[in-house]
Structure formats: structure tokens, C-alpha cells
Amino acid sequence: MPSMNRPVLRRVVLALALAALVPAASAQAQAAADDSLYLALGSRPGLVRLMDDFMVRLLADPRMRPFFKDVNQVHVKAQLVDQFCQVCGGPCQLKGPGMREVHEGFEIRKADFNALVEVLQEAMDAQGIPFAAQNRLLSRLAPMHREIINTP
């Protein structure tokens, strides 16, 4: 990863975290009508456990650590819980700019996006989330790559 100054690195980290978790419009509409995935993931307490594990793994992963080591961990985890809650059809509403806007000016590669997804899968496995629920979640997250990856 090319060297970046600290403020830019922090924005990249937050952008990647947000990017991996905000749904495309159609997935968002589907999630609002169906909370079964939210329930399958353990509702809010289950999402909190998942995001606690996910953040630890992001910091331990050499591909992701540079993006996440210098951010406000408590804030990022809280944002991730709300984002997953919304994506999964829970009662949360995350406010803020869209993913394309958040990621403008950042060099986000497909490899970065894929590495974050791999770490998420490891966290879901460790939390005992059933494979079917993992697939449902990943299918809701997958369309976001078009708004996030901006560098070949």
C-alpha cells in the first residue's frame, strides 16, 4: 500500500468500513420488507458481537490493519452495527453520504474490497452464523462493489 498521510488514511479506513456495509437501493428496499436476516444474525446483540469480532480481525489482518489501526474503534464498530442492522432489515437507519461520494478520490482496489469480505466471512464463521445466513448477507452486500472499487 502506498504511504499516505494520517488524515487521508483515516478517511480511507472509514470509507472502506462504510463501503463494505451500506446496501444498494434495491437491497435496502428488500431489507426493509424482511427482517428475517436481522433475526437470523441475532438482532442487535448478535450484530454487536459480530462487529466486535470483525474489528479485532480487521486489525489483525495485515491487508486491513493499515486501514483500521488509527481510527476511532468505538465509533467504527457502532457505525458497522447500524449499517449491518439496516442491510439485514433491522430497525436502524444509517444517515450520511452515499458510497460513491464517500469513496471519491480514494484508490480502492478490488483486492481491498475482497480482503475485507474475507475477514467478514472469518468473523461470521467464528460467531457460528449459519452458512445460509452468511450467503444472504453477502448477497446483499455484493452489489456495493460497483460504488466502492474505483482503482484497477
Side-chain angles (χ1 to χ4, degrees), residues 90-122:
C92 308
Q93 271 293 356
L94 186 65
K95 295 175 176 76
M99 286 297 94
R100 191 173 308 281
E101 182 181 348
V102 168
H103 296 92
E104 282 178 352
F106 298 111
E107 295 180 4
I108 300 169
R109 301 168 303 136
K110 184 176 182 177
D112 300 322
F113 184 86
N114 290 343
L116 189 127
V117 171
E118 287 174 23
V119 174
L120 174 59
Q121 288 174 300
E122 292 169 3

Short mmCIF file of all heavy atoms in Angstrom, two decimals, residues 90-122:
data_model
loop_
_atom_site.label_atom_id
_atom_site.label_comp_id
_atom_site.label_asym_id
_atom_site.label_seq_id
_atom_site.Cartn_x
_atom_site.Cartn_y
_atom_site.Cartn_z
N GLY A 90 -33.18 -4.77 9.82
CA GLY A 90 -33.47 -4.36 11.19
C GLY A 90 -34.00 -2.94 11.25
O GLY A 90 -34.16 -2.26 10.22
N PRO A 91 -34.25 -2.45 12.45
CA PRO A 91 -34.90 -1.16 12.63
C PRO A 91 -33.97 0.06 12.53
O PRO A 91 -34.40 1.17 12.82
CB PRO A 91 -35.48 -1.28 14.04
CG PRO A 91 -34.53 -2.18 14.76
CD PRO A 91 -34.10 -3.18 13.72
N CYS A 92 -32.74 -0.10 12.12
CA CYS A 92 -31.78 1.00 12.11
C CYS A 92 -31.86 1.81 10.81
O CYS A 92 -32.18 1.27 9.75
CB CYS A 92 -30.36 0.46 12.26
SG CYS A 92 -30.18 -0.62 13.68
N GLN A 93 -31.54 3.09 10.92
CA GLN A 93 -31.44 4.00 9.77
C GLN A 93 -30.08 4.67 9.85
O GLN A 93 -29.86 5.50 10.72
CB GLN A 93 -32.53 5.07 9.82
CG GLN A 93 -33.84 4.75 9.18
CD GLN A 93 -33.75 4.62 7.68
OE1 GLN A 93 -32.76 4.82 7.11
NE2 GLN A 93 -34.81 4.25 7.02
N LEU A 94 -29.19 4.35 8.94
CA LEU A 94 -27.89 4.99 8.91
C LEU A 94 -27.97 6.22 8.01
O LEU A 94 -28.47 6.13 6.89
CB LEU A 94 -26.83 4.02 8.40
CG LEU A 94 -25.40 4.52 8.46
CD1 LEU A 94 -24.97 4.72 9.91
CD2 LEU A 94 -24.47 3.56 7.78
N LYS A 95 -27.49 7.33 8.50
CA LYS A 95 -27.52 8.58 7.73
C LYS A 95 -26.11 8.93 7.31
O LYS A 95 -25.16 8.62 7.99
CB LYS A 95 -28.13 9.68 8.58
CG LYS A 95 -29.58 9.44 8.92
CD LYS A 95 -30.10 10.51 9.86
CE LYS A 95 -31.56 10.33 10.14
NZ LYS A 95 -31.88 9.26 11.05
N GLY A 96 -26.01 9.61 6.18
CA GLY A 96 -24.70 10.05 5.70
C GLY A 96 -24.64 10.00 4.19
O GLY A 96 -25.61 9.63 3.53
N PRO A 97 -23.50 10.37 3.64
CA PRO A 97 -23.35 10.39 2.18
C PRO A 97 -23.38 8.98 1.60
O PRO A 97 -23.13 8.00 2.30
CB PRO A 97 -21.99 11.04 1.96
CG PRO A 97 -21.26 10.83 3.24
CD PRO A 97 -22.29 10.80 4.32
N GLY A 98 -23.67 8.89 0.31
CA GLY A 98 -23.69 7.62 -0.39
C GLY A 98 -22.29 7.07 -0.57
O GLY A 98 -21.29 7.77 -0.43
N MET A 99 -22.22 5.80 -0.90
CA MET A 99 -20.94 5.12 -1.01
C MET A 99 -20.06 5.71 -2.11
O MET A 99 -18.85 5.88 -1.92
CB MET A 99 -21.13 3.62 -1.25
CG MET A 99 -21.58 2.89 -0.03
SD MET A 99 -20.37 2.95 1.31
CE MET A 99 -20.95 4.34 2.26
N ARG A 100 -20.63 6.03 -3.25
CA ARG A 100 -19.82 6.59 -4.33
C ARG A 100 -19.18 7.89 -3.87
O ARG A 100 -18.00 8.14 -4.07
CB ARG A 100 -20.67 6.81 -5.59
CG ARG A 100 -19.83 7.14 -6.81
CD ARG A 100 -20.65 7.18 -8.08
NE ARG A 100 -21.47 6.01 -8.34
CZ ARG A 100 -21.04 4.85 -8.84
NH1 ARG A 100 -19.78 4.71 -9.14
NH2 ARG A 100 -21.86 3.86 -9.06
N GLU A 101 -19.96 8.73 -3.22
CA GLU A 101 -19.46 10.02 -2.72
C GLU A 101 -18.39 9.82 -1.66
O GLU A 101 -17.35 10.48 -1.66
CB GLU A 101 -20.62 10.83 -2.15
CG GLU A 101 -20.21 12.20 -1.64
CD GLU A 101 -21.39 12.95 -1.05
OE1 GLU A 101 -22.55 12.53 -1.22
OE2 GLU A 101 -21.12 13.97 -0.40
N VAL A 102 -18.61 8.89 -0.75
CA VAL A 102 -17.65 8.63 0.33
C VAL A 102 -16.31 8.17 -0.24
O VAL A 102 -15.26 8.50 0.30
CB VAL A 102 -18.21 7.56 1.29
CG1 VAL A 102 -17.14 7.05 2.23
CG2 VAL A 102 -19.38 8.12 2.09
N HIS A 103 -16.34 7.45 -1.35
CA HIS A 103 -15.12 6.85 -1.87
C HIS A 103 -14.43 7.64 -2.96
O HIS A 103 -13.36 7.24 -3.43
CB HIS A 103 -15.42 5.43 -2.35
CG HIS A 103 -15.83 4.56 -1.22
ND1 HIS A 103 -17.13 4.39 -0.87
CD2 HIS A 103 -15.09 3.85 -0.33
CE1 HIS A 103 -17.19 3.61 0.19
NE2 HIS A 103 -15.98 3.27 0.54
N GLU A 104 -15.01 8.74 -3.39
CA GLU A 104 -14.37 9.57 -4.41
C GLU A 104 -12.99 10.00 -3.94
O GLU A 104 -12.80 10.37 -2.79
CB GLU A 104 -15.22 10.81 -4.70
CG GLU A 104 -16.40 10.56 -5.57
CD GLU A 104 -17.24 11.80 -5.80
OE1 GLU A 104 -17.00 12.83 -5.16
OE2 GLU A 104 -18.16 11.71 -6.62
N GLY A 105 -12.04 9.91 -4.82
CA GLY A 105 -10.69 10.35 -4.51
C GLY A 105 -9.83 9.31 -3.80
O GLY A 105 -8.66 9.55 -3.55
N PHE A 106 -10.40 8.18 -3.44
CA PHE A 106 -9.64 7.12 -2.79
C PHE A 106 -9.30 6.05 -3.82
O PHE A 106 -10.07 5.77 -4.71
CB PHE A 106 -10.42 6.49 -1.64
CG PHE A 106 -10.74 7.45 -0.54
CD1 PHE A 106 -12.04 7.84 -0.32
CD2 PHE A 106 -9.73 7.98 0.25
CE1 PHE A 106 -12.34 8.73 0.69
CE2 PHE A 106 -10.03 8.87 1.27
CZ PHE A 106 -11.34 9.25 1.49
N GLU A 107 -8.16 5.45 -3.64
CA GLU A 107 -7.74 4.37 -4.52
C GLU A 107 -8.11 3.04 -3.88
O GLU A 107 -7.32 2.44 -3.16
CB GLU A 107 -6.25 4.46 -4.79
CG GLU A 107 -5.88 5.71 -5.57
CD GLU A 107 -4.40 5.82 -5.84
OE1 GLU A 107 -3.64 4.89 -5.50
OE2 GLU A 107 -4.01 6.86 -6.39
N ILE A 108 -9.31 2.58 -4.16
CA ILE A 108 -9.81 1.33 -3.58
C ILE A 108 -9.81 0.28 -4.68
O ILE A 108 -10.48 0.43 -5.70
CB ILE A 108 -11.21 1.52 -2.98
CG1 ILE A 108 -11.13 2.59 -1.89
CG2 ILE A 108 -11.73 0.20 -2.43
CD1 ILE A 108 -12.45 3.06 -1.41
N ARG A 109 -9.04 -0.75 -4.43
CA ARG A 109 -8.89 -1.82 -5.41
C ARG A 109 -9.83 -2.97 -5.09
O ARG A 109 -10.29 -3.13 -3.96
CB ARG A 109 -7.44 -2.33 -5.40
CG ARG A 109 -6.42 -1.27 -5.72
CD ARG A 109 -5.00 -1.73 -5.43
NE ARG A 109 -4.89 -2.14 -4.03
CZ ARG A 109 -4.28 -3.24 -3.61
NH1 ARG A 109 -3.68 -4.05 -4.45
NH2 ARG A 109 -4.25 -3.54 -2.33
N LYS A 110 -10.05 -3.80 -6.08
CA LYS A 110 -10.87 -4.99 -5.89
C LYS A 110 -10.26 -5.87 -4.79
O LYS A 110 -10.98 -6.44 -3.98
CB LYS A 110 -10.96 -5.77 -7.21
CG LYS A 110 -11.86 -6.96 -7.15
CD LYS A 110 -11.99 -7.63 -8.51
CE LYS A 110 -12.94 -8.79 -8.45
NZ LYS A 110 -13.12 -9.41 -9.78
N ALA A 111 -8.95 -5.95 -4.75
CA ALA A 111 -8.28 -6.76 -3.74
C ALA A 111 -8.58 -6.25 -2.32
O ALA A 111 -8.73 -7.05 -1.40
CB ALA A 111 -6.77 -6.78 -3.98
N ASP A 112 -8.68 -4.93 -2.14
CA ASP A 112 -9.01 -4.37 -0.83
C ASP A 112 -10.42 -4.76 -0.42
O ASP A 112 -10.67 -5.18 0.71
CB ASP A 112 -8.89 -2.85 -0.85
CG ASP A 112 -7.50 -2.36 -1.20
OD1 ASP A 112 -6.51 -2.99 -0.76
OD2 ASP A 112 -7.40 -1.34 -1.91
N PHE A 113 -11.35 -4.62 -1.35
CA PHE A 113 -12.75 -4.99 -1.09
C PHE A 113 -12.85 -6.48 -0.76
O PHE A 113 -13.49 -6.86 0.22
CB PHE A 113 -13.60 -4.64 -2.32
CG PHE A 113 -15.07 -4.87 -2.13
CD1 PHE A 113 -15.87 -3.90 -1.56
CD2 PHE A 113 -15.66 -6.05 -2.54
CE1 PHE A 113 -17.24 -4.10 -1.40
CE2 PHE A 113 -17.02 -6.27 -2.38
CZ PHE A 113 -17.81 -5.29 -1.81
N ASN A 114 -12.20 -7.30 -1.56
CA ASN A 114 -12.26 -8.75 -1.35
C ASN A 114 -11.63 -9.16 -0.02
O ASN A 114 -12.14 -10.07 0.65
CB ASN A 114 -11.57 -9.48 -2.50
CG ASN A 114 -12.37 -9.39 -3.78
OD1 ASN A 114 -13.54 -9.06 -3.78
ND2 ASN A 114 -11.71 -9.67 -4.90
N ALA A 115 -10.55 -8.50 0.36
CA ALA A 115 -9.91 -8.82 1.64
C ALA A 115 -10.85 -8.52 2.80
O ALA A 115 -10.96 -9.30 3.75
CB ALA A 115 -8.60 -8.04 1.79
N LEU A 116 -11.55 -7.40 2.73
CA LEU A 116 -12.49 -7.06 3.79
C LEU A 116 -13.61 -8.09 3.87
O LEU A 116 -14.00 -8.52 4.96
CB LEU A 116 -13.07 -5.66 3.56
CG LEU A 116 -13.88 -5.16 4.73
CD1 LEU A 116 -13.41 -3.80 5.18
CD2 LEU A 116 -15.35 -5.11 4.35
N VAL A 117 -14.09 -8.54 2.73
CA VAL A 117 -15.14 -9.57 2.71
C VAL A 117 -14.62 -10.87 3.31
O VAL A 117 -15.34 -11.54 4.06
CB VAL A 117 -15.68 -9.77 1.28
CG1 VAL A 117 -16.60 -10.98 1.20
CG2 VAL A 117 -16.40 -8.52 0.79
N GLU A 118 -13.39 -11.25 2.99
CA GLU A 118 -12.81 -12.46 3.57
C GLU A 118 -12.77 -12.38 5.09
O GLU A 118 -13.09 -13.35 5.78
CB GLU A 118 -11.39 -12.68 3.04
CG GLU A 118 -11.33 -13.14 1.60
CD GLU A 118 -9.89 -13.20 1.09
OE1 GLU A 118 -8.95 -13.34 1.93
OE2 GLU A 118 -9.71 -13.12 -0.13
N VAL A 119 -12.36 -11.24 5.60
CA VAL A 119 -12.29 -11.06 7.05
C VAL A 119 -13.69 -11.14 7.66
O VAL A 119 -13.89 -11.73 8.73
CB VAL A 119 -11.58 -9.74 7.41
CG1 VAL A 119 -11.62 -9.48 8.91
CG2 VAL A 119 -10.13 -9.77 6.92
N LEU A 120 -14.66 -10.57 6.98
CA LEU A 120 -16.04 -10.65 7.45
C LEU A 120 -16.50 -12.11 7.50
O LEU A 120 -17.13 -12.54 8.48
CB LEU A 120 -16.96 -9.83 6.55
CG LEU A 120 -18.46 -9.95 6.84
CD1 LEU A 120 -18.78 -9.52 8.27
CD2 LEU A 120 -19.25 -9.11 5.83
N GLN A 121 -16.18 -12.89 6.48
CA GLN A 121 -16.56 -14.30 6.48
C GLN A 121 -15.91 -15.05 7.64
O GLN A 121 -16.56 -15.89 8.28
CB GLN A 121 -16.17 -14.95 5.15
CG GLN A 121 -17.06 -14.50 4.00
CD GLN A 121 -16.57 -15.04 2.68
OE1 GLN A 121 -15.45 -14.77 2.26
NE2 GLN A 121 -17.42 -15.82 2.03
N GLU A 122 -14.66 -14.75 7.93
CA GLU A 122 -13.99 -15.38 9.08
C GLU A 122 -14.71 -15.04 10.38
O GLU A 122 -14.90 -15.91 11.24
CB GLU A 122 -12.53 -14.93 9.15
CG GLU A 122 -11.67 -15.43 8.02
CD GLU A 122 -10.31 -14.74 7.97
OE1 GLU A 122 -10.00 -13.91 8.86
OE2 GLU A 122 -9.54 -15.04 7.04
#
